[in-house]
Amino acid sequence: MTTASTTNQNFIKLQCNSTLYNSLCVRTFYGYANNISRSHYKLTRTALKLTLHQANSTKTYISTLKQESAVKDCKSLIKDSVSRVKDAIKELKKMKSATSKSGFAWNKSNVQTWISAAYTDSDTCLDEVNDTSDGGDQKLKDSIAYLQKLTSISLTFINNYNF
């Protein structure tokens, strides 16, 4: 293993230490270490893109389920999550190119708001699925829980990303 590769992996470990899901974070981002290359922007962008991928996967799975009221609500909530994560990715690009601390702070606040809202959407969805009489579809619950964890990791990386 090269020194640069080790340094990049150590960066991932360090950043993941501040998340609620440290071991999941390390497992998820280790493979991206060389592409991230100690860049807070690239780390955050990667986290948001993985979150978007999981939100889209969850949305696709929900669309295959019988449309009970909890599932209908979840479908709408996860659709909103997908939209919010897409908005956050666009705003992150603005953050990267911000020329002032106040501009950066404005963009960062927007990203934090959208990712927090996406987390709330997935949390509400999971609550609704858990409250169904049959306890809900396990694959759906697992997919939403994974989405929540990635969203939480993304929010931590955003919070730690400074001008």
Side-chain angles (χ1 to χ4, degrees):
M1 187 179 309
T2 66
T3 304
S5 182
T6 301
T7 303
N8 292 337
Q9 289 176 344
N10 287 339
F11 174 78
I12 297 295
K13 283 183 192 176
L14 180 66
Q15 299 309 309
C16 287
N17 279 339
S18 61
T19 70
L20 295 174
Y21 307 102
N22 182 13
S23 54
L24 172 65
C25 181
V26 170
R27 282 193 319 269
T28 302
F29 293 94
Y30 235 47
Y32 300 94
N34 289 334
N35 290 336
I36 291 168
S37 188
R38 299 180 312 272
S39 163
H40 287 279
Y41 169 76
K42 288 179 181 178
L43 176 64
T44 305
R45 184 185 66 196
T46 301
L48 289 174
K49 286 186 174 190
L50 290 172
T51 301
L52 178 60
H53 175 77
Q54 181 60 28
N56 276 318
S57 294
T58 303
K59 184 177 119 185
T60 299
Y61 181 69
I62 287 174
S63 69
T64 69
L65 299 175
K66 185 176 160 194
Q67 295 298 305
E68 298 166 0
S69 62
V71 172
K72 283 182 185 176
D73 289 346
C74 270
K75 188 175 182 181
S76 175
L77 289 163
I78 298 301
K79 183 180 174 188
D80 288 347
S81 288
V82 167
S83 178
R84 293 169 206 263
V85 176
K86 284 180 180 178
D87 288 340
I89 290 170
K90 289 177 194 170
E91 196 73 16
L92 180 69
K93 289 177 186 173
K94 293 178 187 176
M95 253 174 84
K96 182 184 179 198
S97 60
T99 57
S100 69
K101 196 169 188 172
S102 62
F104 181 90
W106 170 258
N107 299 130
K108 181 177 179 175
S109 174
N110 289 336
V111 175
Q112 289 168 318
T113 299
W114 286 319
I115 295 303
S116 294
Y119 183 88
T120 300
D121 288 340
S122 62
D123 191 51
T124 302
C125 178
L126 189 57
D127 285 347
E128 289 185 12
V129 172
N130 283 330
D131 287 344
T132 59
S133 59
D134 64 357
D137 181 282
Q138 189 59 48
K139 184 175 177 183
L140 177 58
K141 291 193 291 190
D142 292 345
S143 184
I144 297 166
Y146 184 55
L147 174 59
Q148 283 184 302
K149 290 173 184 174
L150 288 176
T151 306
S152 173
I153 290 167
S154 293
L155 187 57
T156 300
F157 290 163
I158 292 160
N159 291 340
N160 293 341
Y161 182 17
N162 296 306
F163 186 71

